[in-house]
Amino acid sequence: MTLEAEKTGEAEEAAVAANADHSAALKETLEDYTLRFAPRSYRKWGTGVVATSALGGIAYLADFAIGANIGISYGTGNALWGILVFAIVIMATGFPLAYYAARYNIDLDLITRGSGFGYYGSVVTNVIFATFTFIFFALEGSIMAQGLELGLHIPLPLGYLISSLMVIPLVIFGMKALATLQVWTTPLWLIMMVLPFGYLVVRHPDSISTFFAYGGADAEDGKGVNLGSVMLAAGVCLSLIAQIAEQIDYLRFMPPKTPENSRRWWSAVLLAGPGWVIFGAIKQIVGLFLAVYLIANVADGAGIANQPVHQFLEIYQDMMPHWLAMTLAVILVVISQIKINVTNAYSGSLAWTNSFTRVTKHYPGRLVFVIFNVAIALILMEANMFDFLNTILGFYANCGMAWIVTVASDIVFNKYLLKLSPKVPEFRRGMLYDINPVGFVSMLLSASISILVFFGAFGSAIKPYSPIVAVAIALIAPPILAIATKGKYYLRRTDDGIDLPMFDEYGNPSGETLMCHVSGMEFERPDMIASNTPGPNGEKQYISSLSLSTDKTGAHVLPAQPPE
């Protein structure tokens, strides 16, 4: 073989390898819809399956620990009012976000882009969301490690490692595997969770009066309900506000809304969207109830009252032999941890991948960020985050509220009332400005000021009210900034260069397809935009948002339209 032929052969092999790598990355991206909306051709699940899958993701035991912690710190009365405040805020802010996700089949990052943040401005909210996923991955992993230590005598550090690594294989398979896992494990989980609470209410009715009378660890310093303690409790609970983003990762796969399925569609969106907080609030109350029972009736109960595995073990032991109680407690912890942490790892990997690809124009593969997210969570576990849980969650809540409330405010006020923000969410590169000050500045103001309040920068009197500060600023700043900027930073272009209609007769994203000239694949209309690069004969070409997001040269990005 000649040297020239050998070089040609090597070049051909390299090209084949490069194409294989590209195809693998493209297939992975198509499976998860990491960087774009979920097309109609992929959304084969019914409304019930989507809702069940979404609610299966809230099977975490962190709510039990959160409820116990705020109750032990502030007393039953303050904790219950704090949980109520938390539920109201979640319902009010979660509804517009859930509706947009289900109606337009996009995740919260894509919603955020077109709701006042801009194409690159929403990267910071992706980091906030990714932080949420690894904090709660670490919390659930810690709870599982406690269960493994109690039931199998596995040392905590090793338990942390096991609880982290066992999730990775499940997450690799993407949305289809997650939907199957959630649907099949939810009934068993519900039975095992509800059983202890029902048993206590029936067999130990005095536990109810004990629960309501519990004043908390600092009861001697000030009995009864007070607004400061209520808001501190609510602040810890509101760290879960970003959970709506994980719900949306499922809701974006809702089938098209039609007159025939309208009632089922709305029920699924409401229940699996903001409705997750109903189940979350119930779990927090049950966690507090079990904690108070342990404190009142179990020797050294105060030391284990905030650990869900001990909560369930102690109640199971009243109902059955110790060996069976231990077995069920460990099974419950393992099922719960797997159910939520596959969602945490999956959603976190999407958030990191999305941000990294948008900034670098390089798609490294979601698996890289699955491992990255799990690694950060493992570090938190090994640092024993469980011991300073309230502080971590209280601090994070300010960031989460700043983001979620800002987006909800933009949808409600700027899109529907002021009509300064485009009602149809835009997410495609080239259609948006890089940064829109309306949402981006509002979120920064809300987060930074409320965090300063949280750490006492404005005095101890206002310190408990950082959640109110975060919500208030994030609520009023977007309409003020939208009016001040006259809404001119929302759209860089109003024409995407495609003549086909974006929606069908019922207002659902169109299922019509166009060829992407970069990837050579067909994509649905809402995912496409005209390319700024004409074809060989000067004809118009189209490019998908997936290909456009990795265009390092910017040659395919349409120019900005001059202001009217």
Side-chain angles (χ1 to χ4, degrees):
M1 181 183 293
T2 65
L3 181 60
E4 183 177 348
E6 186 176 337
K7 288 182 178 179
T8 301
E10 290 176 355
E12 289 175 350
E13 289 178 4
V16 169
N19 288 334
D21 290 342
H22 174 74
S23 298
L26 187 60
K27 181 179 184 299
E28 179 184 301
T29 311
L30 292 175
E31 163 70 16
D32 294 310
Y33 301 98
T34 314
L35 308 172
R36 59 198 192 92
F37 97 117
R40 182 178 298 201
S41 60
Y42 187 82
R43 292 181 275 117
K44 302 299 184 183
W45 297 282
T47 55
V49 173
V50 174
T52 303
S53 300
L55 289 174
I58 64 165
Y60 46 80
L61 295 180
D63 273 325
F64 294 91
I66 289 171
N69 272 307
I70 63 173
I72 292 169
S73 298
Y74 310 116
T76 295
N78 291 311
L80 291 178
W81 279 106
I83 291 170
L84 178 62
V85 171
F86 149 72
I88 291 172
V89 172
I90 297 295
M91 288 292 290
T93 59
F95 170 71
L97 276 58
Y99 169 72
Y100 261 59
R103 187 60 165 154
Y104 298 105
N105 309 114
I106 53 179
D107 66 15
L108 189 50
D109 172 61
L110 303 191
I111 295 172
T112 300
R113 291 186 200 179
S115 297
F117 282 75
Y119 186 75
Y120 291 107
S122 69
V123 168
V124 68
T125 65
N126 257 356
V127 175
I128 291 175
F129 178 45
T131 303
F132 170 85
T133 64
F134 66 65
I135 286 176
F136 282 91
F137 188 109
L139 178 52
E140 288 298 315
S142 297
I143 293 171
M144 179 174 171
Q146 293 166 1
L148 294 177
E149 181 185 44
L150 186 65
L152 303 176
H153 307 292
I154 295 175
L156 277 177
L158 181 57
Y160 296 147
L161 184 63
I162 292 172
S163 66
S164 300
L165 296 181
M166 69 184 298
V167 169
I168 294 176
L170 295 170
V171 179
I172 292 173
F173 293 102
M175 177 65 190
K176 289 180 179 178
L178 264 62
T180 303
L181 173 72
Q182 301 295 14
V183 169
W184 282 99
T185 55
T186 294
L188 176 62
W189 173 82
L190 280 172
I191 293 171
M192 296 180 69
M193 186 196 76
V194 172
L195 193 61
F197 177 71
Y199 172 82
L200 284 183
V201 171
V202 173
R203 294 296 301 271
H204 299 277
D206 57 310
S207 60
I208 298 175
S209 57
T210 303
F211 168 69
F212 283 109
Y214 182 66
D218 301 323
E220 67 278 2
D221 297 331
K223 296 182 179 180
V225 175
N226 66 86
L227 185 58
S229 295
V230 168
M231 294 313 301
L232 285 170
V236 175
C237 297
L238 281 166
S239 62
L240 290 164
I241 195 169
Q243 176 63 32
I244 190 63
E246 293 197 350
Q247 302 305 113
I248 282 173
D249 276 342
Y250 291 94
L251 284 178
R252 64 193 174 123
F253 293 99
M254 283 285 285
K257 178 177 174 289
T258 63
E260 291 75 23
N261 73 355
S262 180
R263 181 175 296 181
R264 297 192 307 275
W265 191 92
W266 275 112
S267 298
V269 170
L270 290 171
L271 184 65
W276 78 264
V277 77
I278 298 171
F279 303 96
I282 291 172
K283 288 193 296 171
Q284 289 173 6
I285 294 170
V286 171
L288 172 54
F289 184 85
L290 298 179
V292 172
Y293 178 82
L294 263 60
I295 291 171
N297 296 281
V298 176
D300 299 323
I304 58 174
N306 67 340
Q307 299 180 21
V309 62
H310 284 282
Q311 292 177 348
F312 285 95
L313 174 62
E314 294 297 333
I315 312 305
Y316 284 152
Q317 286 184 149
D318 274 4
M319 304 163 57
M320 58 193 74
H322 173 76
W323 67 268
L324 182 56
M326 180 70 75
T327 302
L328 288 180
V330 173
I331 290 174
L332 175 64
V333 168
V334 171
I335 289 177
S336 298
Q337 195 268 350
I338 290 175
K339 282 173 71 64
I340 183 56
N341 270 354
V342 292
T343 301
N344 279 329
Y346 173 75
S347 295
S349 69
L350 296 185
W352 286 121
T353 304
N354 202 322
S355 298
F356 184 87
T357 302
R358 216 174 327 157
V359 172
T360 66
K361 308 296 185 297
H362 170 67
Y363 182 78
R366 184 171 58 81
L367 179 58
V368 172
F369 288 106
V370 169
I371 296 171
F372 177 70
N373 215 44
V374 170
I376 296 177
L378 181 59
I379 291 170
L380 279 178
M381 284 187 261
E382 298 291 356
N384 201 19
M385 66 166 287
F386 214 84
D387 286 350
F388 42 97
L389 184 62
N390 278 8
T391 301
I392 291 178
L393 298 185
F395 165 75
Y396 176 79
N398 294 286
C399 300
M401 286 184 289
W403 167 35
I404 300 297
V405 178
T406 295
V407 176
S409 174
D410 189 86
I411 292 174
V412 173
F413 297 117
N414 297 347
K415 291 186 186 299
Y416 281 86
L417 296 180
L418 299 176
K419 303 187 186 304
L420 290 171
S421 175
K423 188 174 290 187
V424 175
E426 182 58 75
F427 62 89
R428 294 166 296 175
R429 182 183 178 191
M431 298 297 292
L432 295 167
Y433 283 100
D434 289 347
I435 294 177
N436 184 345
V438 173
F440 189 77
V441 173
S442 297
M443 186 209 65
L444 289 182
L445 283 173
S446 174
S448 58
I449 294 175
S450 62
I451 287 172
L452 289 173
V453 172
F454 177 78
F455 284 109
F458 299 104
S460 58
I462 194 177
K463 184 177 179 180
Y465 304 104
S466 66
I468 294 179
V469 173
V471 169
I473 295 175
L475 200 63
I476 65 174
I480 291 174
L481 288 173
I483 293 171
T485 59
K486 299 179 181 179
K488 64 181 180 180
Y489 294 106
Y490 281 96
L491 291 179
R492 182 173 173 269
R493 295 183 58 87
T494 56
D495 176 18
D496 64 5
I498 301 176
D499 296 329
L500 289 174
M502 181 75 82
F503 302 99
D504 65 15
E505 67 272 25
Y506 299 122
N508 299 297
S510 170
E512 295 288 332
T513 60
L514 291 166
M515 177 71 72
C516 171
H517 78 94
V518 173
S519 65
M521 297 182 62
E522 288 195 342
F523 294 82
E524 291 182 11
R525 165 69 176 90
D527 202 25
M528 299 293 290
I529 189 172
S531 173
N532 195 44
T533 304
N537 299 315
E539 71 274 15
K540 181 184 291 188
Q541 298 190 115
Y542 305 102
I543 185 170
S544 69
S545 61
L546 173 62
S547 296
L548 200 57
S549 66
T550 54
D551 173 24
K552 295 183 179 181
T553 65
H556 301 297
V557 180
L558 291 172
Q561 284 180 307
E564 296 179 0

